[in-house]
Amino acid sequence: GPGPAEVGLGALPAELRAAVRALVGDLDALLTALGLREESFAVGALSRVVAAELASYAPARNRRRTATNKASLVFVDRTLDLAGAVGHHGDSLAEKILSVLPKLPGHKTDVMINMVELTALQTTDETCNIIAPGCLAQLNDPAARALWESFMNLKQKEAVMEARRHLVEAASRENLPIKMSMGRVTPEQLSSYIQLFRNNLKALENHCGLLQLVLATVQTLKHPQTSKWDNFLAFERLLLQ
């Protein structure tokens, strides 16, 4: 219903109290710039705290006395959005890549892809940092962007088949000696296709974005955490049954 319940900040940790006050200050600045007099609604415990703080905020009270335009302001807790990030209930290749590969320094939503396989460097050191890492964001490569969409929207088996299809098409356009095989796609098969690009600098340059995504697929499928993920998924399905 209209009007937030009176909930104080006292029960919250100090850092969260400071964050709520900062948010309220920013919201008030926005509403002031828009010349709005708001009526607040809240869904969820933290939303009620924010709405109550805004209701009692002295600059906001002064603004509401003079503002001429009315608006309804709805605060909604999104806590349940976190459930997907802590479950294993998906069969999305994108989700697995983002979960098992190391984060790209300075980024929260991209990963480091080991690019050594595309070079002549021979090393078994997974922490080798001589070669700059690849990443998932390939804005200038339409094929890579289409493949990433597949990783997000298709089931893992279909997404891996899409990775093979894109790789075969790219190799064919570059006249590389690729032998298309049917049936199940394996990380080893994808790696063998990737090797065809290694000694052809022009092909490497033309399809670098696509190769980075396929390398991410190979490294994710080979990662020991992926088998654990599959075990969790099977166990959760068993629990549901």
Side-chain angles (χ1 to χ4, degrees):
E6 289 298 325
V7 179
L9 291 178
L12 299 180
E15 289 184 357
L16 187 52
R17 288 201 300 271
V20 169
R21 290 192 178 106
L23 174 60
V24 165
D26 290 342
L27 283 171
D28 180 61
L30 174 63
L31 294 170
T32 300
L34 296 174
L36 296 178
R37 181 172 77 252
E38 82 280 2
E39 182 180 12
S40 292
F41 298 80
V43 180
L46 186 59
S47 292
R48 286 193 292 274
V49 172
V50 175
E53 189 66 14
L54 180 62
S56 61
Y57 187 53
R61 289 204 301 267
N62 295 333
R63 170 180 48 77
R64 286 192 291 269
R65 281 196 288 268
T66 58
T68 55
N69 301 316
K70 292 183 179 180
S72 294
L73 187 58
V74 183
F75 296 92
V76 182
D77 276 15
R78 300 294 298 275
T79 313
L80 284 177
D81 288 359
L82 297 174
V86 298
H88 307 85
H89 44 72
D91 190 25
S92 163
L93 183 58
E95 196 174 359
K96 291 183 179 179
I97 290 173
L98 291 168
S99 296
V100 306
L101 295 187
K103 288 288 180 285
L104 192 66
H107 294 259
K108 299 293 185 184
T109 57
D110 210 334
V111 299
M112 294 172 61
I113 301 168
N114 192 327
M115 302 290 286
V116 172
E117 200 167 333
L118 288 174
T119 73
L121 180 65
Q122 300 297 315
T123 177
T124 56
D125 182 8
E126 293 183 358
T127 63
C128 174
N129 58 7
I130 298 173
I131 306 299
C135 65
L136 300 173
Q138 303 295 333
L139 301 181
N140 299 319
D141 189 331
R145 291 171 61 182
L147 183 57
W148 179 246
E149 290 284 337
S150 301
F151 287 0
M152 290 191 292
N153 297 323
L154 301 179
K155 291 189 178 296
Q156 178 178 314
K157 181 180 178 180
E158 297 168 343
V160 172
M161 291 181 71
E162 275 295 291
R164 179 174 66 182
R165 184 180 68 80
H166 276 276
L167 206 54
V168 169
E169 288 181 358
S172 299
R173 283 198 295 272
E174 299 295 337
N175 295 317
L176 298 176
I178 193 163
K179 293 181 180 179
M180 178 60 177
S181 59
M182 304 303 290
R184 182 171 172 268
V185 185
T186 65
E188 292 73 22
Q189 183 188 80
L190 293 177
S191 289
S192 69
Y193 290 169
I194 289 170
Q195 295 301 316
L196 297 174
F197 291 82
R198 193 173 69 176
N199 297 320
N200 188 322
L201 293 181
K202 190 62 178 176
L204 199 60
E205 182 180 355
N206 290 342
H207 305 284
C208 188
L210 176 64
L211 291 169
Q212 289 177 62
L213 291 189
V214 180
L215 277 170
T217 301
V218 171
Q219 291 161 26
T220 298
L221 294 177
K222 287 184 174 181
H223 199 284
Q225 193 67 32
T226 301
S227 60
K228 291 183 181 179
W229 181 299
D230 292 336
N231 288 338
F232 281 130
L233 183 59
F235 185 64
E236 287 180 4
R237 285 173 177 164
L238 184 62
L239 284 176
L240 288 174
Q241 291 175 357

